[in-house]
Amino acid sequence: MKNIVLVGFMGVGKGTIARSVAKHSKYINLDTDDIIESMENRSIKKIFAEDGEAYFRALEKEIAIWLEKSVKNTLISTGGGFYKVKNLKKIGVIVFLDSPFDAIIKRIKEHPNGKKKLKKRPLLQDLKAAKKLYDARRPEYLKVADIVINVENKTLQECTKEILKKVKKYD
Ligand code: S3P
């Protein structure tokens, strides 16, 4: 079992899908944002506010090196910008969760905790800027992906099954 690395835009459902895949498989899951928050003992929002984005990106690089060296057989969900680390492909099989921008925003807004989900993401505060970021990143996600899963209009169960079926080939 190689590592599975979930990449994709903020709010697409990487964490939710990772937890479901873990529940229905032997994978244990890790989340790069959670690792950073516990390393720093503060939220991503605070890290951005107090030390800026460049500091956060340096932490992502550090985590990426640790993942490559020390983590095996694990499902790894990542922050939306993590895919940029240089050694990404050495960490595991890259699964891109794809969805149109409007569907992502709708998903967040319709969530019972939607307001909190928006607030905790510094790069989603300005939706126009976020759409620009989405447009710039989508082709890059496609470029690094080994597997693309279109999550729009699919249930969590469908996404889970599709991921587990497609990653089997990489065992
Ligand atoms: C970011 C996405 C966030 C978090 C940080 C930066 C990004 O993670 O890592 O706010 O650059 O897209 P989610 O994708 O889980 O929101």
Side-chain angles (χ1 to χ4, degrees):
M1 263 165 48
K2 278 191 177 172
N3 292 323
I4 304 174
V5 185
L6 298 185
V7 302
F9 202 69
M10 290 171 273
V12 76
K14 297 178 297 268
T16 306
I17 291 173
R19 286 189 289 277
S20 172
V21 171
K23 175 80 183 151
H24 295 96
S25 71
K26 291 203 167 146
Y27 285 101
I28 285 177
N29 63 315
L30 287 178
D31 181 277
T32 59
D33 281 346
D34 289 347
I35 298 170
I36 289 174
E37 287 191 338
S38 52
M39 262 169 86
E40 288 282 309
N41 194 22
R42 54 185 172 154
S43 66
I44 304 284
K45 193 178 163 190
K46 260 203 164 163
I47 298 172
F48 268 70
E50 292 174 356
D51 288 305
E53 183 172 348
Y55 179 83
F56 174 77
R57 298 300 171 203
L59 293 173
E60 286 190 315
K61 281 184 193 159
E62 201 182 308
I63 301 291
I65 292 164
W66 171 73
L67 289 170
E68 181 192 340
K69 284 195 184 149
S70 310
V71 175
K72 304 271 173 295
N73 310 329
T74 298
L75 173 65
I76 301 158
S77 55
T78 64
F82 185 85
Y83 74 99
K84 288 197 175 180
V85 298
K86 276 202 190 105
N87 63 331
L88 183 76
K89 302 286 282 186
K90 289 187 182 154
I91 300 173
V93 181
I94 312 301
V95 178
F96 168 42
L97 305 181
D98 193 16
S99 176
F101 182 76
D102 291 348
I104 291 175
I105 300 305
K106 191 167 171 256
R107 176 183 176 271
I108 298 176
K109 287 193 169 159
E110 283 176 357
H111 194 279
N113 265 337
K115 277 209 176 118
K116 204 173 151 204
K117 281 183 172 283
L118 265 185
K119 239 179 147 185
K120 74 171 199 180
R121 294 181 160 99
L123 301 178
L124 268 189
Q125 299 314 301
D126 172 351
L127 287 186
K128 259 195 187 162
K131 171 72 167 84
K132 264 195 186 163
L133 190 62
Y134 173 92
D135 288 339
R137 281 182 177 176
R138 190 169 174 272
E140 297 179 354
Y141 289 129
L142 286 167
K143 216 188 247 175
V144 296
D146 298 301
I147 295 168
V148 179
I149 309 280
N150 180 2
V151 302
E152 195 196 10
N153 298 324
K154 279 187 196 148
T155 64
L156 186 54
Q157 286 74 13
E158 285 168 334
C159 294
T160 304
K161 265 194 183 167
E162 196 177 329
I163 291 171
L164 286 170
K165 192 175 160 200
K166 291 190 171 163
V167 295
K168 260 192 189 157
K169 276 187 216 147
Y170 292 85
D171 268 355

